[in-house]
Amino acid sequence: MQAKDSNPPDGGYGWVVVVSAFMVMGLTAAVLKTFGLFFVEIQQHFDELASSTSWITSVTIAVFHLGAPVASSLCVQYTHRTVVITGGLLAFSGMALGFFGLNMVWMYATTGFLQGLGISFSWTPAISIVSHYFSKKRALANAIASAGECAFAFMFGPFFQWLIGQYGWKGALLIIGGIQLNICVCGVLMRPLANRCFLEASHCETETPPGNGASRTDKEDQSPITPKTFNWMLVRRPEFVLYAIFGILAAMSFFVPPLFLVPLSYSLGIDESWTASLLSILAMVDFGGRLLCGWYANLHVTKTIHLLAMAITLISTSLMLLPLANNYLSLAIFTGFYGFFFGTTVAIHITVLADVVGMPEFDSALGLFMLIRSTGGFVGPPLAGLIVDRAGDYRGGFYMAGAILVLSAGFLIILDRLQQKKIRGSKISTKPKKSTLPYPSLHILKHQ
C-alpha cells in the first residue's frame, strides 16, 4: 500500500512554500531586472566604456542560467532547502563584496559571478519545490510564486534609486545584499516534502501483495520525490527536446521588447517621463497576467500546453502590432497587451515542463531546460540589434521577435501531437485481447 503522504498535498503547508518562493523570486529575478539603475553610477566611477560595464549584467545572466543544472543536481543530492539557503549566502556575498568596488574585474567576480550563482541557487530550487508540493493546483501555485518578480520589480525601481541617492551606489549594494539574506529565511521555510514510501522502500515492498502487479519502481514513479541522480539523458527524449527548442526560440524573443521599448518611444518623440511609465505598465499587466492565467489553468478547462500555445500566439500578434503605434496611447495599449500575455506564458511554462517530463525527472529537466534556453537569451538581442542596424528602425526588432514566437508555437503543436499519439498507442497496447474460443475454460486448456 502506498504511503498516503507520497502525493503532493496541493495545499496546507504548500502555501507557505509558495509565499517563500514568491519572496525568493522578488529577491533574485527582480534585483537582476532593476540592476540597470547602477549602470551609469558604476560606469562613471571606474571611467569605463558602456560595453565594459554591461559585462557585469551579462556575467550575472550567464551564470544564472549555466548554474541551473548544478543547482538542480544539488537539489537531487541534498534538499531544496539547503540549496536555497546556500544561494542566499552567495547572493549576499556578491553584493557585500561588491561594496568594496576595487576595480571592474572585481565587480565581474562579485556582483557578476557570485550574484549570478546566488540567484541560480535560489531561483531554481524555489520554483522546483513549488511543483513538488502541488499537482492539481500546480499552475496556480507557480503563477503566484512567479508573480513575486513583478511585484518586487515594481517596488525596487524607486527604492533602489532612493538608496543610491542616500548612500551612494556602494552603500546601496551593501544594503541590498543584507535584504537578500532574507532568501535564507525563505529557504528555511521550504520544508522537504515527506515521503514515507521513498524512505522506507523495503517496508512498502513487503506490503505489496504478490499478484497486484505493483512494484517498488512503480511507487517511486508516482512519488513527487526526485531520483538520486541527475538525469542528463533527458536530452534523448523527443518530448523534452521539442520543449527545449521552444524554450530557445521563446528566449530569443522575450529579451527583445524590453530592450527596444524605450528607444522606440524616444524615436516617436515621446517625453522621457511618459516613457518611464511604459515600464510600470509592463510590470503591472505582467503581474495581472500571471495571476489570472494561473487561476484559469487551475480550473483545468484547457490543457496547459494548449493554453501556452495560445498565449505565445497572442504575444506574437501583440509584437507584430506594437510597431504600428505612433503615439503614447497606442504604444501603451500594445505594451499592455504584450505584458499581459507575457505574464500568462511565464505563469504556466514551468507547469507544462512538469507535465512533459513527469515529476520524478522534473528537477533534472528544469536545470537542463534553463541551460539550453540560455542560448536563446544570448543570441536573441544581438540578432535583433543587427536587424535594427540594417533596417535603421527599432520596429525591425519587434517584427523579428514576433516571427520567432510564431515558429516556437509550432514546436508546441508538434509536441502536443506527439504526446497524443503516444497516449493513443498506450491505450491500444493495454487493451485486453478478445478470446477467439467460445468458452474461457477452453482458452485456459489451450494454453496448458
Side-chain angles (χ1 to χ4, degrees), residues 31-44:
V31 170
L32 178 58
K33 184 178 286 187
T34 52
F35 192 77
L37 292 169
F38 290 86
F39 185 90
V40 175
E41 301 290 335
I42 295 175
Q43 181 186 5
Q44 292 178 349

Side-chain angles (χ1 to χ4, degrees), residues 186-267:
C186 297
V188 171
L189 294 174
M190 292 178 180
R191 187 171 65 198
L193 186 60
N195 189 307
R196 195 180 310 124
C197 190
F198 183 83
L199 297 174
E200 302 173 10
S202 59
H203 176 67
C204 291
E205 190 173 17
T206 56
E207 286 185 340
T208 304
N212 73 341
S215 65
R216 170 182 166 185
T217 303
D218 295 331
K219 292 180 181 297
E220 291 181 3
D221 286 343
Q222 297 173 10
S223 167
I225 300 299
T226 51
K228 284 295 181 182
T229 56
F230 189 88
N231 187 4
W232 293 94
M233 293 299 101
L234 282 170
V235 293
R236 294 184 178 181
R237 289 179 55 175
E239 298 94 334
F240 178 77
V241 172
L242 287 170
Y243 197 69
I245 295 174
F246 154 75
I248 293 172
L249 295 174
M252 286 180 66
S253 303
F254 286 161
F255 287 95
V256 172
L259 186 64
F260 294 127
L261 182 60
V262 171
L264 176 62
S265 68
Y266 287 158
S267 69

Side-chain angles (χ1 to χ4, degrees), residues 373-389:
R373 190 183 70 171
S374 66
T375 58
F378 294 145
V379 173
L383 178 60
L386 179 62
I387 293 175
V388 168
D389 291 337

Side-chain angles (χ1 to χ4, degrees), residues 42-71:
I42 295 175
Q43 181 186 5
Q44 292 178 349
H45 178 82
F46 292 107
D47 193 22
E48 291 282 352
L49 297 173
S51 57
S52 300
T53 309
S54 65
W55 272 105
I56 297 175
T57 303
S58 297
V59 170
T60 308
I61 294 173
V63 175
F64 168 39
H65 285 89
L66 296 176
V70 180

Side-chain angles (χ1 to χ4, degrees), residues 130-152:
V130 170
S131 293
H132 283 295
Y133 262 91
F134 290 85
S135 178
K136 294 179 180 179
K137 299 178 182 178
R138 184 176 294 149
L140 177 61
N142 277 324
I144 295 173
S146 69
E149 175 186 340
C150 306
F152 277 75

